[in-house]
Every structure is written in C-alpha cells, then in structure tokens.
Amino acid sequence: MTVANSTPPKTETEAMSVADSPFLQAIVQQIRANDPYGTYRNWADELLLKPFIMSKAEKREIPVEGDIDPMTKGRIFAFYRAIAARIEEETGQLATVVVDLSHEGFGWVLIFAGRLILVSRTLRDAQRFGYASIDKMAKEGEKLTQKGVEMATKYSEVCDL
Amino acid sequence: MTVANSTPPKTETEAMSVADSPFLQAIVQQIRANDPYGTYRNWADELLLKPFIMSKAEKREIPVEGDIDPMTKGRIFAFYRAIAARIEEETGQLATVVVDLSHEGFGWVLIFAGRLILVSRTLRDAQRFGYASIDKMAKEGEKLTQKGVEMATKYSEVCDL
C-alpha cells in the first residue's frame, strides 16, 4: 500500500482533529502500539485514521462474500481496543475485547470486565467496516465508551468477579 | 472419515452412558442439529461423542502450530453450545456462545445472557481439545452448567439488560 505523504482531504466542514478527541487519540495509540517495525513512525495521526473513513459508495465497492481482509480486521480490533482502553482509563477496570467473526463478515464484538459485558455489538458486513467521517467515528467511539463506563459504574460488583 | 460401525471401546471402568447425563444428551443434540445431510442419523450417541475423548498420548501427537482443524473447532462449539442450551433449560435465559480463536490455538470462549457472562474460559492449545474419558467430559460440562446457572440466578438483573 502506497500512501501519498499529504494531509487527509477535509470534508465539507472542517474535520475534527485528533487532539480534540480522547477516543481518536486512543485509536492512534492502538495503531502505533501494533507497529513493531516503525512503519508509521513519521505518519501524522490523521493519516493513520484515514483508512477508517469510507463513503457509502466506497463501501458498496467492497464485496461482502468471502473472507474479511486482515487490514479491515485489524481496524475493527483497533477501534474496539481503543474503547476498552478508554473505559480502563475512566474506571480502572481491566477490559478485554473478544471478536468472533465468521468468514461471511457476520459476528460479535464484546468488551468485558470480570463477568460484566461493557459493550456488546453484532457485526454485519464487517468487510465494509468504516465511518462516513472522522467526526462520526469519534462520536460513536465516545458514545460506546460512555455507555461502557456507565455499565462498569452501575454494576461494579460484577466487574470484580 | 470412515468410522467402524461398532460400539466405542470401554475404558477401564464401565463408561458413563449418555442417558445418565443431561449434558451429554445436550451435546448429542447439538451434533445432530448440525447434521443437515443426516450423516449421523444411524449412529449411536456414544459413537458421536467418541472424537471428544482423547488420551494424553493422542493429544501430544497433535501439533499446536498452525490452524485449528475445522472438526476440532466444531467440537469446541458443540461442547460450549451444549452448556449454553443446558443453562437455558435451567434458567429460561437465552444464552449466546462467542468463540474468539487465534490461528495459534489460543483464545476465549464466553457464554453470555444479556450483559452477564455466565461462563468464561481461556483456551490454550485448542488443537488438542478433548477429554480423557466420557465421564470427565460429562463432569466438566455439568460443572460449568451449574456455575452458569448460579451466575444467572444471582445476577438475573444483569441478564435482563
């Protein structure tokens, strides 16, 4: 994959910057943590997040038959691990991510602490995982984080099992 | 796979029969439910469970590098789905099984209802999944079922989320 060393194109409204969102920072951290050869060392944060952003037309071009691309799987992991990391920061509970993906792009993502499920999502057409804009991705990540934090707070006893 | 149409060999002590164990019956049900071509229609229950039984020596012969055999994966699913089915019978809670297996045979199995994890296991060397005897498998299945039922009863509020 070759990537032009330029800033990502702006959407109609000025795109959110990574500095504005603790969740986007957490995703960037996940990606950099999984970069043993330093491939992304000199990449801007915004550039790292570019593959997460996809228009509806771009999504339609991706076939949903057959296996999920390993890069796409990596992005799904990074997204949910970032949520787990954010919940850990907020609650101090150790959160684990489990992804059960069939070869048809259908499956489950669970984030759990102890015996409590903090985030539970079903995935469909996971081959087309992506968000319409960086703002939408940030909002979705923050929302799931918030709900996870609420669960962990309300049922902390079950987290500690 | 060809299988001699004989009764399975007895272990030193007389092997437990399927009729004695609701859990073994539940596994047999899982296997028969996933038999669209009726391959196993005329097989005795005990014969269906034979591939779940493995001696230590037999396990050592299975390499733990590389992918998990699809038949082994199928047995892992059947085992945990049987536990989920048993918990459903006992509690009325709908239980879902999620299996997250890496290509190296390491991973997680979770059985959950609502936001509560009823059974949580880490898998190691999943390529070698199997039990030393049918009695040991039955005991393990009944034990996990019982613990799951206790969880579902104690934290039924979290199951209903």
Side-chain angles (χ1 to χ4, degrees), chain A residues 28 31-32 35-45 47-48:
Chain A
V28 167
I31 299 167
R32 296 203 187 276
D35 180 30
Y37 305 111
T39 316
Y40 306 132
R41 201 186 301 135
N42 298 317
W43 290 32
D45 291 347
L47 196 59
L48 291 179

Side-chain angles (χ1 to χ4, degrees), chain A residues 44-61:
Chain A
D45 291 347
E46 280 74 12
L47 196 59
L48 291 179
L49 298 180
K50 226 176 135 180
F52 290 82
I53 309 309
M54 242 185 269
S55 68
K56 272 191 180 167
E58 284 171 315
K59 284 190 180 188
R60 267 196 300 271
E61 280 169 27

Side-chain angles (χ1 to χ4, degrees), chain A residues 75-113:
Chain A
R75 284 195 289 275
I76 295 173
F77 271 101
F79 181 85
Y80 288 100
R81 284 211 184 107
I83 294 171
R86 288 284 298 121
I87 296 174
E88 286 185 5
E89 273 174 33
E90 300 280 331
T91 64
Q93 293 287 357
L94 193 72
T96 303
V97 180
V98 159
V99 179
D100 178 353
L101 271 179
S102 78
H103 290 294
E104 292 81 34
F106 184 87
W108 281 96
V109 180
L110 302 177
I111 303 177
F112 66 98

